[in-house]
Amino acid sequence: IATTVQRHNITLYCGEEFTEIIDDNDNNNGDGDGVIKVSFETGLEMVADFVVGADGAHSRVRNVLGLAPPIISETTLFRGSLQVPDTASIELKGCLEEGMVPLAVDEKGKLYFVLFNFHERHPGRLAWILSTSIDVRSDDKIAPFALVQDHVKEETDLKLIKEVLALSDEDHLKPYPKTSIVDLSDAAIDAYVDRGWGGRGRITLTGDAAHGMPPTDGYGGSMAMEDALVLTRILKNDNAVADISVEDCLRKFELERFARVKKVYDNQCERYNTRMREGKRPGRQSKEFMDWLLAGV
C-alpha cells in the first residue's frame, strides 16, 4: 500500500473522524455533476467524486446511509500466526499440507480452534483462530490454552494446540473485542434489496461495513478484497470508458456483488451455527462450493 501511495502521489490522512457527508448531487437535479463534501473533526474538508465506506462493521458511513447497526456476536476471537520450525512435531508439519484444519470444537458449542494455511508464497506459515462464547479477561495472556484445556478432551488436539500457541507471539494471545455482524438475512434485506446492500447516491460500502460475517472460515477479508477489485474494474471500464455516471457505477457494483456475497454470507452463518450453537464440526466445504468460490471474480 505504501508503495502504491508513493507511486501515485496520494496523500493519506490518518486519525481523522468525519462529522458530516453531504452529497451535492441533489443540487444538480440528479444529472451526475454533483460532488461529495466531507467534513472532519479537525476542520479538514474534502471534496470528492464519491465516498467508499470501508470502515468496518461499526461503520460511521453506514450510519450516514441510515442502515441498521451491526449485531454484536456471541463470540470473542483470538487470532495469531506462526512460522513452523524444522523442530516442529510431525503432526504440526502435517497441517501444512491442509488448507484448513479444525482442531477443536467444544461439544457444547462454546469454542472452536482452527488452523489455516497461508498462501503458497509463504511456505511453512500457519494462521490460527480461537473463537469462544466464554467470557475472557483481556489481560490474561494464557487465556487461549486455559480455555481449550478446560473444554477439549482430545489429547491429540490439546497437544497440537499447545504447540501452536507456544510458537505464537505473546501479542496474539490477547483477545480481540467481540465481533459484530451485519444482518443480511432475507428478512433484513427486503427493504433495500434493489439497492444492493444499501448504498445511496455517490456513497457505497465495502467489506465488513457492507456485509460483516460471522467469524467462521475467514472469508470476510476475502470478500472485502473482491469488493475492491470489482469496484475498481467497474469504475475503470464503465465510468472512465463508457461514461456511465458514478451513481450508476456504484449501484452496479453493489448489485453485481450482492448474489456472491450473500451466498458466502449464508454459508458462513450456517457453519457458525453448526460450530458455536450445535457444538459440531461442520467438516470440509463441498468441492462444488470451493470450485465456485475459488473461481473468483
Side-chain angles (χ1 to χ4, degrees):
I1 293 175
T3 301
T4 301
V5 165
Q6 185 176 20
R7 184 168 65 245
H8 294 282
N9 195 30
I10 298 171
T11 301
L12 290 180
Y13 294 86
C14 300
E16 297 282 352
E17 293 191 16
F18 75 85
T19 56
E20 187 177 34
I21 299 179
I22 299 176
D23 189 345
D24 255 12
N25 191 54
D26 292 339
N27 299 325
N28 286 276
N29 300 315
D31 61 6
D33 294 329
V35 294
I36 287 278
K37 296 179 180 178
V38 186
S39 301
F40 297 86
E41 288 184 350
T42 59
L44 175 69
E45 294 188 347
M46 291 185 177
V47 175
D49 293 323
F50 59 93
V51 167
V52 178
D55 49 343
H58 298 282
S59 168
R60 295 182 66 190
V61 180
R62 185 177 178 84
N63 292 340
V64 168
L65 292 169
L67 301 176
I71 303 167
I72 303 299
S73 78
E74 303 168 3
T75 58
T76 299
L77 290 182
F78 295 82
R79 294 171 176 158
S81 63
L82 63 143
Q83 189 70 29
V84 178
D86 293 337
T87 55
S89 67
I90 295 175
E91 291 78 11
L92 184 56
K93 289 180 179 178
C95 293
L96 293 169
E97 305 301 320
E98 304 288 339
M100 183 182 73
V101 185
L103 287 179
V105 178
D106 174 59
E107 68 275 8
K108 295 181 180 179
K110 290 186 176 180
L111 65 82
Y112 71 90
F113 192 104
V114 183
L115 283 176
F116 300 87
N117 270 275
F118 269 63
H119 192 276
E120 60 185 12
R121 294 180 182 177
H122 302 278
R125 193 152 191 89
L126 291 172
W128 58 268
I129 289 180
L130 169 61
S131 180
T132 178
S133 59
I134 304 166
D135 287 335
V136 296
R137 296 180 300 165
S138 61
D139 61 346
D140 188 354
K141 294 183 179 180
I142 64 169
F145 188 69
L147 290 169
V148 172
Q149 191 173 31
D150 289 342
H151 293 86
V152 178
K153 307 306 179 185
E154 285 286 339
E155 287 298 324
T156 303
D157 286 344
L158 279 175
K159 182 178 178 181
L160 195 50
I161 292 171
K162 186 174 183 179
E163 183 177 8
V164 167
L165 295 176
L167 291 169
S168 300
D169 292 339
E170 281 196 4
D171 286 344
H172 296 165
L173 306 182
K174 300 175 183 177
Y176 283 67
K178 283 188 177 293
T179 55
S180 298
I181 304 167
V182 171
D183 188 0
L184 283 186
S185 63
D186 293 338
I189 63 176
D190 279 347
Y192 55 85
V193 68
D194 291 336
R195 295 190 287 130
W197 45 63
R200 184 179 69 243
R202 290 170 173 257
I203 305 174
T204 190
L205 302 169
T206 63
D208 282 355
H211 43 69
M213 302 180 184
T216 309
D217 296 327
Y219 291 165
S222 300
M223 290 298 101
M225 287 185 276
E226 285 189 1
D227 285 348
L229 175 62
V230 173
L231 178 57
T232 301
R233 184 188 296 157
I234 289 175
L235 289 171
K236 179 180 179 181
N237 295 336
D238 292 11
N239 181 247
V241 177
D243 198 29
I244 298 174
S245 72
V246 169
E247 293 94 328
D248 288 343
C249 285
L250 297 184
R251 299 296 77 73
K252 179 180 179 179
F253 156 67
E254 292 187 21
L255 290 171
E256 186 172 309
R257 286 289 293 147
F258 190 85
R260 178 173 172 86
V261 167
K262 183 66 163 66
K263 183 173 180 177
V264 173
Y265 178 94
D266 289 344
N267 170 273
Q268 294 297 276
C269 287
E270 181 180 353
R271 291 172 67 81
Y272 176 85
N273 289 335
T274 299
R275 282 183 179 139
M276 302 308 295
R277 292 179 182 165
E278 299 175 18
K280 300 176 182 177
R281 297 192 185 207
R284 294 178 180 273
Q285 297 277 15
S286 69
K287 182 179 185 302
E288 179 184 13
F289 179 84
M290 291 308 299
D291 286 347
W292 168 81
L293 184 68
L294 296 177
V297 293

